Each structure stands twice: as structure tokens, then as C-alpha cells.
Amino acid sequence: MLLVTAALVLRLELVRHSLAGTHYRYGQYAGEQRIVGAEVDRTVRPDGTIEESSDVVSSSPGLRPPSSRDAGRGQGEGFLVNIHGTARRATRVIENRIVRYVDAETGAVLRVEPRFARAKPARVFDANPVKTLNDPSLQDQNNSAAAVPDAAYTTVDLDDVNPSGPLGGPYVQITDFELPAIAPADAAQSLMFDRSQTGFEDVNAYFHIDRSQHYLQSLGYNGGRTIAPYPVPVDTHALNGEDNSLFIPAPETGHAALVFGDGGTDDAEDPDLVVHEYAHVVHEWIAPGTFLGPFGSEARAISEGFADYWGFSASYEQSIRSGRDPFCFADWDARCWQDATSEHCGYPTGADCLRRLDSPKTIADFNSSDSPGTEYLNAPIWSSALREVFVALTQRYGIEAGRRISDTIVVESLFGAPPNPGFAAIARRMIAADRYLNAGANADVICAALTRRGILTDCVVAPRGELTLFQSVERGVAIPDNDPTGVVLHTSVSDPRVIERIFVRVDIDHAFRGDLRIVLIAPDGSQFVLQNPSPDRTSNIRATFGRDAVPVDSLDPLRGRSATGEWRLVVTDLRPRDAGTVLSWGLVIQFAGDEPAFLRPTAGSRQTIPVAGRIPGANGTFFTTDVRLLNRGTRDTTVTLIFTPSGADGRSDFAAVNVAVVAGQVVALNDVIGTWFGATGIGQLEIDGDVVVTSRTYTRGANGGTYGEAIPPARDRTRRNAAPLNVMRIRNNADFRTNIGFAETGGSRGTIEVNFLRGRGDIAGTSSYAIAAFSHLQLAVPFDAVLATIRVTEGDAEIVAYASVVDNHSGDATYVAGETAERERTVLAPAINGPGALGTFWSTDVYLTSGLNTTVVLSYQNATFASAVFSNALTYWPDIIRSQFGLPNTAGVMRTTLGPGAVASVVIVNSGTVPFAQSVSLLEPAIATSLDIPHVERSTVFRTNVGLMSDAGATVNVSLLDASGKTVETSLHTLAANQLDQFAVRTPVADGRIHIDVLSGKVAAYASIVDNVTGDAAFVPAQ
């Protein structure tokens, strides 16, 4: 386990002035993390006397990454708590009126704090009377108070209650908007009701909804992650006395109201039903309208099954404690069959439960009838599968921890759900959520439960080379608003083989995806409706119909047909006001005879992107990788992408997908790891095929824009007894953190030795790492160092290396490739000192180290600055254009001659309000007939600047091409020696490319892809 020792510091947090002095409070921090309960209080009296008291941690604590055990006990975020001068790692649990800090290792409660809030005593059913008393003989008896013993009640404090008026608070508002007209309980009056009084249902509903909300917050859904952060309107006496309850979506997206009927046992008396209905509020907030499909859809069954599960989870511990059957859902509501007919009981004689969560139903029992009520027949398939997961995890971790782990996985799986999701889609999202939250520690439990139900046929969700993507060349196509004609898009397949399975990938931007109708038309004219308009008000479609989204019409009839011909996709927007755009679409086909590969495909023309991923990072970041593939040849080609997860042996543990790339086409693979491999985490990505490859890994900021880094295919490698790799610009301080990573590209295991060097060239520390064949490792740099040298000391491994330097403020990462530096070379790079758009101000920093007695010469706009660097010492020139050349507010070419062993790193830094940077590749001017730069975009989201450089002068013709390879603009450029020609792409283009024909001279070129919201830029060199 990697431990990082954090420096202990005191920081002034507040100053207060009183009549008798000035009072200072200092909080203690371990690095950037506040230690709970560690502070110094200092008072300065008017006569200068100082009084001080302190309770601080005396030694630097070891910090480690959160584990699955942590995730089960707290909010998923680590805390440090001062216990008698020692910092203990803990998780925080918020429950009603207290906050508990729980030791992450032992589970012991370390610290308890009160939550100060308005509270009001009230009587409720903590669990329903049958569960609390384990007495199935209880009956409603026409809403009689005498029907339920006093022991069934619990006196509680209602949190955050408004001081007067109808009972309400920040997450619940009791109201009356349906008949019968019964005024809500008055919060200013006593709330100590019995069940025969109308105020009891108000209080009971308030308590259980508020408790469910606080429980969600204790799982980590608090602050900006709070689910349903509004007062849900609740009418506990509604539906004109029916024995029913309803969740009603509100006009405001993501909002809803709840109504409970009084027929039979009043529904709001049974906590199972109250929590069930609130579960609908939860999924409506997470994915508005997504789970409101037809009655016979799997999406609707997921909605009801999730709600039953959520009610079961809330009362499970009380059922176990009393001995009551925990799988009998709403067993108090069902006990009205002895009531008078006038009470409108909806249950037959002898009813014990509304539904059970140990149903034997499987997917084979699914009822596809679209009659109202079908969703409740299908819900037990889902709820019982979730119950299996829940019970297995409580047995593994204990009831409290197991419940928290299970519930978090289930809730997290609802985020980002595709339109009309099926059981299998959400099941895969559960597996992915567990991988994010718990490093996949519970995949076995989830897989077993969902396989038994027939929801998943197996849990190998990643393709193994049996699928081929055919992406349309049409990108960024507008969808006419409220127009039944819609837009027709095309793609052609030339492969004549027979279809075994076919899926349709669709990426659409639209405010309300339920406005859209999507139809696939096969080459023979047969039509398949993928999606009809629905109440789904979630934005955007990122879905593969037939795999993670259920199409309206099954695609199975296409099995056995040839794939050859033109396929069409018709997208129509049938509601007014909100326009959308088809970003991309394509067919994913498994041909007859293509089976998942057991062993890794044999590589031919192999390129390796050292790191790609879909993974959460520190400080609320979440990193995703996009890839672009350019076929600049004259013939269509098919390439294979192979993803090896970090730590895996890539010879047998990998995912692979084939991508058909038409001549001249740019294929866009957004969120490549999640979308195309069905995976999470990080690893290396290998591309087998003759294409130009670029990638960008990024996180989204609070403003919706992105911060990230372009990661090109690796160039330099090292083996045993070969020149080492050097990784520059490692930074570890309050502003930056650094990860160092390695990918094995030769297919053999080995041992890597890394020396971390300080700025003077002395060794800060040495680490050794074992790496498997085709594997990947990424680790936090454990030392305060500036340079790493990497060697292979054992085995036949072939290693590429990199560092990712992350800004702790913005989450922006800059990529630094490992270099061998075996020969002398002259390289060019753009450099700047001056303002940019969006309030940015750019400057250029240079880092340089070299072998003994190597002279490095830097020139800029014909001015020369030379420096000799010795014995691996680091030289750092911040803002080199101003500091060394004295040329502020200029931009130009920096020309550098590097001797053998010399390594330089250049970064262009924005010093505006939010700091971020782009790492700049040092480019050798090449004698080439042409160069290409994919990943070019001019849109509302991104803009692109193109830079041309030459050390001796050149003439080039520059063309902008769209994703299909069609030329949309051209320009002729004549370059003087050491001149920077940088210009903006003006014509709108999505997934385009810059093509450079070199007419004379040697040229180096690049593109800078700039986020229009954040201003962050990624540097993409020409290839």
C-alpha cells in the first residue's frame, strides 16, 4: 500500500475581537486536508499578554487512497480526525441530529458532533407495526387507534422543521392539493399524534422522507451532489380515498410530488410505502423521465423494482432485529382485509404483503404486455436481484456497512442511464459503479445475482474483438426543431459478411431526449424504431441501442442478413422549443464467425497511448479519454483497439474492438474506455493498424467546460541494458500533484527501477515496480522531486513512461512523455508571453536537464540565450520570453539544440483566475511531403489554432478537411526561418483534420485545441 506522508501546517482560520483582546483560531492541516479537532486558539490581551491553548497532531499522518471499506462506512470522502494527538483516517456519517466520524480501519466511532437544527418532537412508526412488533396478526380495524399498541410508536425529533405553518422543511412540504380536503398538520402545534388522527400520516411521511434524504447525504450525495435538494410536495390524504399512492412528475425538470391514499390502511402510515414513493423522487431527480417508459418496458420495471428495494433496505435492520420476515414489503398496508367495505381496502382476504423481494422470477418470466399494472408484475425480477446483492454484501461486511455499499452501488447505477434502459444496461452500470467506488471488490456478488436472474448471460461485458464499429462520416448535424421530416443520415458498409448481432450507437445533444423519434432503415428498406417520444426529460443520448438501451423494435430480424449497403438513421424532433444535434452515429456489428478472442490479438502496425481511462480523481475530478483515428490512406482499413486495465496481464486480460475507417475519414471515439470497452479505471490503449492517432484525457470543471491534456502515442521506449527514459517536471506541493505511469509494450514482464532526482541532481529516493506483459501502472509520486529516470532491471519488458502533473485548483493535467535523449537534435516549440481570450494570460516555462558538460542553446526571434548544464542538475526558466529574452507581449518560435542526454520540457501556463496549462511537444522540423493533425474542431464547444514553424524557411499548403475527408478551406503559407505562423480555424468543423502539403523546406506543425468555456488548451503535434 502506497503511503504518502503529508506536511503538517497551521493556517489562520478566523479572527475575533472582544473587549478583552483579539482572538485567533488556527486550524491544523495535513497538506491540503483539514484535520478535524486539531486547532490552536491564541488570545492577545490589550497589554500584549498572549494566552494559548492547543490540541494538535504531533506527527505527519500517512495517507492512502480510499478503499471499498471506506466507501461502505462514510460518504466516500476521507477525513482525518485528531485523537489524542494522532491523526486517524475516518469517514463521516450524518444521521438525523448527529455527525459521527468512524475509523476507516476498525469501524470504531472516533468523534460525535451534534447537528444544530430546528427540531420538533413527534410520534411515528419507525418501522411499520408488523415489522416493529413481529406481529402479523395486527389489522387496520378501520383506522382505529386501539388497533396498534403503544409499543409500535417511536418518539423522534423531526429535523429542520419550519417553525410555523403547514409541516415542512428543506426536503419535505406537507400540503393539500387533492381531495379529500384535509389541512396539513400545523408545525407550531404538538405533533404527538396517534394513527387515528389525520396529522399522524403527515408526521410519518415527513420523518421517513427526511430520514431517507439524510441517509442519501450520508452516502456522499450532499453539497453539489445532493439528490432532490428541494421540498417535495406531499399530500398524505389524497386520491379521494383510494387505496393507492402515486409519484407525480412536476413541470420543473427533475421535480415531483407525492400523494398517498387513505383506502384501507392509510398508505402514509406504512414507512415501506413512503420510502418506496420517495425512491421515485430520487430516480426522477437523477434521470428525469428516463424510468417512465411504457408499462411493459424494462425501464418501468426498474423504476418499481428500485422503489421496492429502497423501502426494503430502509427497514431491513428493524425486521432482522424483531425477527419479522424482511422480504415482505408493505406488510402493514396489506392488513386491511377485515375493514368495512366503506374503507375501500384494495387487498384480498389473507394478504400478507404488497409484494415480496424474494421472488423466484427471472427474465424468462418478463411480461411485455403494455397494460397498466404490468410494471408491478415485472418489478420483482429487478427488486429480487437487488435484494440478493444486498443480502450478500451484508453477510460480507455486516448489516450497516453492507447496506451502505449496496445502496450506493444501486443509486450510482442510475446516473447517466441511457434512454429506455433495460435490466442488463443498469446491471452493467452497477458493475461499473462498484469498480469506481470499491475497485470492483463486489463484482462477483453483482454478477452472480444478475446472472441467476438471466439479466446478464455472463459478466464479461467488454468486447474481445468480436465487434466492429462502422461510424458515419456525418458529424454535428442539426436536427430540425418540431419537424416531422427530421434529418436523414447515412453510412455505408462494404463488408459482405452475414450479421450475427447488430447494435446502433447514437450520440445526440438535446435538452430533452424524450422529444426525439429515431428510426434505423436497413439497406433493403426495412425500418426499425429505436426510440419513440416519451416523458424522458433527461438531456442527451449517449446510447448503443440493442446493448445498453432497449430499442422499440427488436433488431433481431437483421440477423442472418448481409451487412453490405447503405444504412440510414432518421431523427425527428416532435416537440417545439428545444433543438438538438446529432454528434455522431454508427453501426456496431458482430459478423457470423467472429467470436470473442481468448488470447490477445497479434499486433501488426502497433501504436500505444500510454494511459487512457474513465476514472474519478482527487478533488472531485473525473477523467475521461476521447480518441480520434485518421485514415489518411487511399483505401479503407480496419484497425483493432486493445485496452489493458492497469495491473492486468494483457496477454489474457484485455478488451478489444475493431473499427472500420474509410479512406480519408476521422473516426471519433468519445469516452473510449466506457463507451467502447464497457470498462472503468485506467490502462494502456494499443492501436493495431495504419492510422494517425490522437487522444485527449480531461475532467469537467464546475462551469461545464473541460480541463485536460493531449496524449500522443508513445515514441521513446527503454529495455534492459538500454538508455533510460527521463521524465521531467515532476511537482508535488500545495498547487500541484504528480502521477508517474508506465506501459509495457513488448509482451513481456519486467521490473522497473525509478530514481527520483531533486533539482540539484541528487537522488530524492528510489522505487522499484513489477509490471506484467502489456500492462500499465500509474502511481502517485512519493517524493518531492523534479526528475525521474527509468530503467528496466529485470526481464524483457519494453517500457514507455510518462508523468501527469495535475493542478490541484482546476484539476487540469499536463502530460510529460518519457524521453531517452540518445542523440543530438534541434527542436522547435512555440513560446509566448501575452494575454489570450477569456481573461487568460499565457507565459512559457522551460525545464531542462542534461548529461555532463552538455551545452544547450536556446534562441527566440533571432536572440540567443545559451546555458551549459552539468551533472543532471535541473535548470528552470519561468516565463522565459520575458525573463531571459526581455520580450514581453510577444509570441514566436523557440529553437533549441539539445546534445546527447539533454532533455527539455516546455509548458505554456495561464496565470489567470483559474490556473491551467498545456504541455508543448518539442518538434523536429521534418522533411516530409505531408503532415496531418486530427482532433480539429471549430464549434460552440471548442476552437482550434494551427501553428507552423520552420528552422530554415518553408512553403506549405494548408487544408482544413471535415470528418469525411472533404476539403472545406485551403491556404498557402510561406515561412521564414524561425518564424511562427499561428492562425485560427474559421470554418465550423467537427472531428476535422488539418492536412499540410510541404512544397519546400522542413516544417514542424501543431494544433492547439481550446475549450471555449474554460480557455484550457491541448497541444496536438502534426504527424
Side-chain angles (χ1 to χ4, degrees):
M1 181 182 295
L2 178 65
L3 291 177
V4 180
T5 301
L8 295 173
V9 295
L10 292 174
R11 294 179 183 168
L12 182 64
E13 293 183 332
L14 61 85
V15 180
R16 296 290 184 266
H17 302 280
S18 72
L19 296 176
T22 302
H23 312 273
Y24 302 87
R25 164 67 60 84
Y26 297 84
Q28 189 178 30
Y29 289 74
E32 291 302 302
Q33 189 167 17
R34 177 68 157 88
I35 303 175
V36 178
E39 56 257 340
V40 173
D41 292 288
R42 178 176 296 162
T43 296
V44 180
R45 299 299 184 186
D47 62 1
T49 302
I50 297 177
E51 301 170 3
E52 185 173 288
S53 63
S54 66
D55 186 4
V56 295
V57 170
S58 58
S59 62
S60 178
L63 305 182
R64 60 166 177 78
S67 68
S68 60
R69 194 168 188 171
D70 300 335
R73 292 200 170 102
Q75 298 183 112
E77 296 181 2
F79 291 83
L80 293 175
V81 179
N82 177 21
I83 303 296
H84 307 305
T86 300
R88 301 274 290 277
R89 188 172 179 85
T91 53
R92 185 173 65 183
V93 179
I94 302 172
E95 293 184 355
N96 293 332
R97 300 186 67 194
I98 63 169
V99 176
R100 293 185 297 145
Y101 291 91
V102 179
D103 190 291
E105 296 296 333
T106 67
V109 176
L110 301 177
R111 181 184 176 95
V112 177
E113 298 174 349
R115 295 178 65 233
F116 297 100
R118 292 186 300 272
K120 184 88 174 179
R123 288 180 62 181
V124 300
F125 291 150
D126 188 32
N128 74 47
V130 177
K131 285 182 167 63
T132 297
L133 303 177
N134 190 16
D135 187 354
S137 70
L138 294 175
Q139 284 284 324
D140 177 57
Q141 296 182 20
N142 304 313
N143 204 36
S144 165
V148 175
D150 285 345
Y153 293 92
T154 301
T155 299
V156 298
D157 285 329
L158 299 189
D159 276 353
D160 303 317
V161 172
N162 297 329
S164 61
L167 177 61
Y171 305 112
V172 194
Q173 181 59 61
I174 305 300
T175 186
D176 179 37
F177 56 87
E178 279 205 1
L179 294 176
I182 298 176
D186 186 348
Q189 306 301 316
S190 171
L191 301 179
M192 301 292 287
F193 301 108
D194 66 49
R195 66 180 297 262
S196 68
Q197 299 170 286
T198 57
F200 179 78
E201 286 77 22
D202 296 344
V203 171
N204 202 55
Y206 183 99
F207 172 73
H208 286 286
I209 292 172
D210 188 68
R211 181 160 73 174
S212 192
Q213 170 61 229
H214 282 100
Y215 174 65
L216 282 165
Q217 292 186 25
S218 80
L219 297 179
Y221 299 104
N222 53 22
R225 297 187 180 99
T226 302
I227 295 171
Y230 65 94
V232 177
V234 178
D235 188 344
T236 65
H237 304 283
L239 296 172
N240 209 22
E242 288 184 32
D243 191 4
N244 201 357
S245 298
L246 295 176
F247 144 80
I248 305 172
E252 185 175 358
T253 301
H255 287 231
L258 301 179
V259 294
F260 296 89
D262 286 335
T265 305
D266 296 348
D267 279 9
E269 281 188 21
D270 193 328
D272 288 3
L273 286 180
V274 174
V275 177
H276 169 103
E277 296 301 335
Y278 187 64
H280 292 310
V281 173
V282 169
H283 72 59
E284 180 66 7
W285 175 264
I286 292 171
T290 297
F291 297 96
L292 299 180
F295 298 115
S297 67
E298 291 183 24
R300 196 65 170 259
I302 291 169
S303 168
E304 294 302 331
F306 165 67
D308 282 0
Y309 165 84
W310 198 245
F312 151 79
S313 169
S315 63
Y316 179 79
E317 189 169 1
Q318 292 99 319
S319 297
I320 295 299
R321 190 182 306 125
S322 72
R324 173 61 183 163
D325 176 359
F327 308 138
C328 184
F329 174 75
D331 40 357
W332 175 231
D333 186 63
R335 279 168 167 70
C336 59
W337 34 272
Q338 293 181 357
D339 282 3
T341 304
S342 59
E343 289 292 308
H344 303 292
C345 176
Y347 289 87
T349 299
D352 191 36
C353 323
L354 172 58
R355 283 182 293 276
R356 293 195 62 84
L357 278 92
D358 58 354
S359 166
K361 284 187 174 182
T362 70
I363 199 71
D365 301 302
F366 189 85
N367 186 331
S368 58
S369 167
D370 205 24
S371 302
T374 304
E375 66 271 35
Y376 301 111
L377 300 177
N378 293 327
I381 301 172
W382 188 247
S383 64
S384 296
L386 298 185
R387 184 268 310 165
E388 285 188 47
V389 173
F390 179 99
V391 171
L393 293 183
T394 59
Q395 292 172 347
R396 176 174 288 182
Y397 299 105
I399 290 178
E400 180 184 355
R403 177 197 176 197
R404 298 175 68 82
I405 293 172
S406 179
D407 288 353
T408 306
I409 291 170
V410 171
V411 170
E412 195 66 25
S413 71
L414 304 177
F415 284 91
N420 194 23
F423 290 154
I426 304 302
R428 292 188 182 103
R429 299 189 74 82
M430 287 176 63
I431 294 169
D434 180 61
R435 190 175 297 177
Y436 288 137
L437 299 169
N438 312 306
N442 308 299
D444 57 337
V445 169
I446 299 168
C447 286
L450 297 166
T451 300
R452 275 193 292 269
R453 299 282 164 178
I455 292 169
L456 294 176
T457 55
D458 58 59
C459 278
V460 180
V461 297
R464 302 272 290 194
E466 74 275 21
L467 301 179
T468 302
L469 166 66
F470 297 84
Q471 190 174 79
S472 170
V473 297
E474 297 165 310
R475 309 288 168 76
V477 180
I479 306 167
D481 186 33
N482 196 28
D483 182 347
T485 303
V487 62
V488 182
L489 302 108
H490 311 77
T491 194
S492 294
V493 177
S494 58
D495 195 316
R497 291 181 293 165
V498 169
I499 295 169
E500 177 68 24
R501 293 189 300 163
I502 187 169
F503 313 109
V504 184
R505 177 67 192 181
V506 178
D507 286 272
I508 294 176
D509 272 356
H510 196 285
F512 300 109
R513 65 190 184 191
D515 292 359
L516 302 179
R517 185 171 193 263
I518 306 174
V519 179
L520 176 71
I521 303 177
D524 64 1
S526 55
Q527 299 189 13
F528 300 85
V529 177
L530 304 180
Q531 174 178 299
N532 276 323
S534 74
D536 192 336
R537 290 175 290 178
T538 304
S539 62
N540 306 331
I541 298 177
R542 307 280 188 266
T544 305
F545 287 93
R547 187 166 177 84
D548 58 23
V550 179
V552 174
D553 295 333
S554 172
L555 299 173
D556 287 346
L558 291 168
R559 183 179 181 182
R561 302 187 194 180
S562 170
T564 304
E566 183 181 77
W567 297 75
R568 288 171 287 165
L569 190 77
V570 182
V571 183
T572 51
D573 184 339
L574 299 177
R575 295 186 182 128
R577 291 196 304 275
D578 302 295
T581 303
V582 180
L583 301 180
S584 66
W585 79 281
L587 303 172
V588 182
I589 301 175
Q590 180 179 355
F591 292 102
D594 283 355
E595 298 295 335
F598 177 70
L599 296 176
R600 188 183 190 90
T602 302
S605 176
R606 185 170 61 207
Q607 302 177 70
T608 300
I609 296 174
V611 60
R614 188 173 198 271
I615 190 170
N619 302 329
T621 54
F622 191 98
F623 290 96
T624 304
T625 299
D626 294 347
V627 167
R628 298 293 183 269
L629 306 175
L630 162 63
N631 178 4
R632 58 181 167 192
T634 58
R635 296 182 179 181
D636 299 351
T637 189
T638 298
V639 301
T640 301
L641 275 65
I642 308 170
F643 174 66
T644 304
S646 188
D649 185 329
R651 293 171 297 186
S652 57
D653 188 353
F654 63 90
V657 66
N658 302 313
V659 181
V661 192
V662 174
Q665 180 189 15
V666 175
V667 169
L669 303 174
N670 292 330
D671 186 12
V672 64
I673 304 306
T675 299
W676 299 106
F677 296 109
T680 59
I682 58 174
Q684 65 144 293
L685 182 64
E686 182 178 281
I687 300 91
D688 179 11
D690 187 14
V691 290
V692 177
V693 182
T694 64
S695 79
R696 180 173 182 260
T697 296
Y698 58 90
T699 184
R700 293 199 176 275
N703 55 8
T706 61
Y707 299 94
E709 56 189 337
I711 302 178
R715 183 187 62 189
D716 290 358
R717 292 166 166 79
T718 189
R719 302 175 66 93
R720 190 155 47 107
N721 300 321
L725 288 168
N726 300 277
V727 179
M728 296 279 294
R729 202 162 24 100
I730 293 169
R731 304 181 70 182
N732 283 309
N733 53 40
D735 297 320
F736 295 92
R737 64 186 185 276
T738 300
N739 297 314
I740 191 167
F742 317 96
E744 202 287 320
T745 62
S748 298
R749 61 160 297 278
T751 300
I752 305 167
E753 181 184 88
V754 185
N755 286 316
F756 294 94
L757 305 178
R758 300 187 181 94
R760 299 182 303 274
D762 56 316
I763 294 178
T766 299
S767 297
S768 292
Y769 309 101
I771 192 167
F774 293 116
S775 194
H776 169 266
L777 296 175
Q778 180 172 294
L779 310 105
V781 172
F783 304 107
D784 183 16
V786 294
L787 172 71
T789 62
I790 297 107
R791 299 177 185 274
V792 176
T793 56
E794 296 180 16
D796 295 322
E798 181 182 78
I799 299 297
V800 299
Y802 65 91
S804 181
V805 186
V806 186
D807 190 298
N808 287 330
H809 304 283
S810 65
D812 181 45
T814 55
Y815 177 84
V816 185
E819 298 182 47
T820 55
E822 292 183 273
R823 61 184 176 84
E824 182 174 302
R825 62 233 185 260
T826 296
V827 292
L828 305 179
I832 186 174
N833 170 282
L838 302 175
T840 55
F841 189 92
W842 299 98
S843 60
T844 305
D845 296 348
V846 174
Y847 299 76
L848 187 142
T849 189
S850 72
L852 185 64
N853 297 330
T854 295
T855 299
V856 178
V857 179
L858 294 96
S859 61
Y860 176 76
Q861 293 191 345
N862 299 319
T864 299
F865 172 73
S867 176
V869 183
F870 305 97
S871 303
N872 285 330
L874 178 81
T875 299
Y876 168 50
W877 292 297
D879 194 3
I880 191 171
I881 303 309
R882 176 189 287 272
S883 66
Q884 302 301 328
F885 294 101
L887 295 171
N889 295 311
T890 61
V893 174
M894 185 169 63
R895 182 175 183 270
T896 308
T897 301
L898 299 172
V903 179
S905 179
V906 177
V907 60
I908 296 179
V909 180
N910 164 53
S911 55
T913 304
V914 179
F916 45 81
Q918 59 176 323
S919 190
V920 173
S921 300
L922 300 176
L923 305 176
E924 291 189 68
I927 299 175
T929 57
S930 64
L931 296 167
D932 288 282
I933 311 172
H935 228 135
V936 172
E937 182 166 346
R938 173 76 181 187
S939 66
T940 58
V941 181
F942 291 99
R943 64 184 185 275
T944 300
N945 297 315
V946 177
L948 305 172
M949 302 176 293
S950 176
D951 59 343
T955 302
V956 300
N957 192 67
V958 179
S959 301
L960 172 66
L961 292 80
D962 65 15
S964 69
K966 177 183 176 182
T967 301
V968 295
E969 68 175 47
T970 62
S971 56
L972 184 68
H973 297 256
T974 300
L975 304 175
N978 300 324
Q979 174 195 351
L980 174 64
D981 183 358
Q982 181 168 296
F983 55 93
V985 172
R986 300 294 182 187
T987 305
V989 65
D991 303 326
R993 89 191 220 222
I994 292 291
H995 178 75
I996 302 166
D997 288 309
V998 182
L999 306 179
S1000 66
K1002 296 187 296 182
V1003 174
Y1006 65 89
S1008 182
I1009 317 298
V1010 186
D1011 187 291
N1012 286 330
V1013 175
T1014 64
D1016 182 42
F1019 185 91
V1020 181
Q1023 301 179 54

